[in-house]
Amino acid sequence: MIVFEKIAGVIDTLDINEISEERKEILNVLVDYLKNKIEDNAAIRLNFICTHNSRRSHLSQIWAQTMATYYNINHVSCYSGGTEATAMFPKVGETLTNQGFKIAKLSDVQNPVYSVKFSENEPSVIAFSKTFDDAFNPASQFAAIMTCSSADEACPMVLGCDKRITITYEDPKKSDGTPQQTETYLERSQQIATEMKYVFSNLR
């Protein structure tokens, strides 16, 4: 099993046919970018960017890396960043854990660093909040994928990227402190996972 069995089970339940044609047009910009990189036998670097790098950008980074492995798309490295650094919101880790990821907190500080493992043999995703131009992230030859409209508006330029792609998601933060929080975060994670499944399954 390339990814953990529980994660594979989640992926199997995701129906890409539920994605609207309008949404597929947006996702196809990323598909085309990836196809061009593969044809050129070039390394693929994806930096998912949201305002606080706390929720949507982490979910996107982690699911994209997972799907790249699941569909055996090589030389893919996924990153995330924000227009400011805060911390990965704990509910993100809780949601992913419930979907089968193995998450360990590597540092217990205000902005913790997490190891997010989706496979026995693949490297963990290192998740923590940072600005999109942090030294941890690539400086050039990467796609900047804007996962929220406010970050898209706040970043008229992302220096070093060779493609800027807007794939925005509704912020699950709106449910914080409500009885719907768990359901809302799961819905957002499932949506992102489904769309990353569409993207990477179209590369085979």
Side-chain angles (χ1 to χ4, degrees), residues 7-191:
I7 296 174
V10 170
I11 294 172
D12 285 343
T13 68
L14 303 174
D15 185 1
I16 60 176
N17 293 315
E18 293 180 353
I19 302 172
S20 69
E21 292 304 313
E22 182 182 29
R23 189 69 179 172
K24 285 178 181 177
E25 285 185 19
I26 294 170
L27 297 169
N28 284 340
V29 178
L30 177 55
V31 172
D32 290 343
Y33 173 84
L34 294 171
K35 284 181 176 178
N36 288 335
K37 288 288 185 181
I38 292 169
E39 287 173 6
D40 293 341
N41 199 28
I44 297 168
R45 304 178 187 90
L46 306 178
N47 191 358
F48 294 89
I49 300 171
C50 197
T51 305
H52 299 114
N53 190 207
S54 58
R55 294 170 176 81
R56 289 165 286 181
S57 47
H58 279 115
L59 289 170
S60 300
Q61 172 193 8
I62 291 161
W63 274 116
Q65 193 71 65
T66 302
M67 292 299 179
T69 298
Y70 184 80
Y71 286 105
N72 198 30
I73 309 301
N74 298 321
H75 313 302
V76 177
S77 299
C78 298
Y79 304 84
S80 67
T83 54
E84 59 183 280
T86 55
M88 189 176 89
F89 193 64
K91 195 70 177 179
V92 170
E94 179 185 317
T95 301
L96 291 169
T97 297
N98 290 338
Q99 292 178 292
F101 293 84
K102 296 181 180 179
I103 301 180
K105 184 185 283 188
L106 304 181
S107 67
D108 196 9
V109 293
Q110 189 172 358
N111 180 11
V113 178
Y114 298 91
S115 161
V116 182
K117 198 163 180 64
F118 57 86
S119 167
E120 290 287 359
N121 296 323
E122 296 300 316
S124 298
V125 175
I126 301 302
F128 65 99
S129 186
K130 70 201 85 65
T131 56
F132 65 86
D133 56 356
D134 187 272
F136 187 85
N137 289 340
S140 64
Q141 297 179 317
F142 66 93
I145 302 171
M146 317 307 289
T147 62
C148 75
S149 56
S150 57
D152 196 23
E153 293 164 4
C155 294
M157 286 186 63
V158 178
L159 295 177
C161 74
D162 53 20
K163 183 72 173 179
R164 180 191 177 114
I165 304 169
T166 300
I167 304 176
T168 59
Y169 296 99
E170 189 173 356
D171 195 350
K173 182 180 180 180
K174 67 176 185 177
S175 69
D176 290 356
T178 74
Q180 291 76 40
Q181 185 184 36
T182 296
E183 179 184 358
T184 299
Y185 275 79
L186 178 59
E187 284 177 356
R188 192 61 60 247
S189 184
Q190 293 279 100
Q191 179 195 4

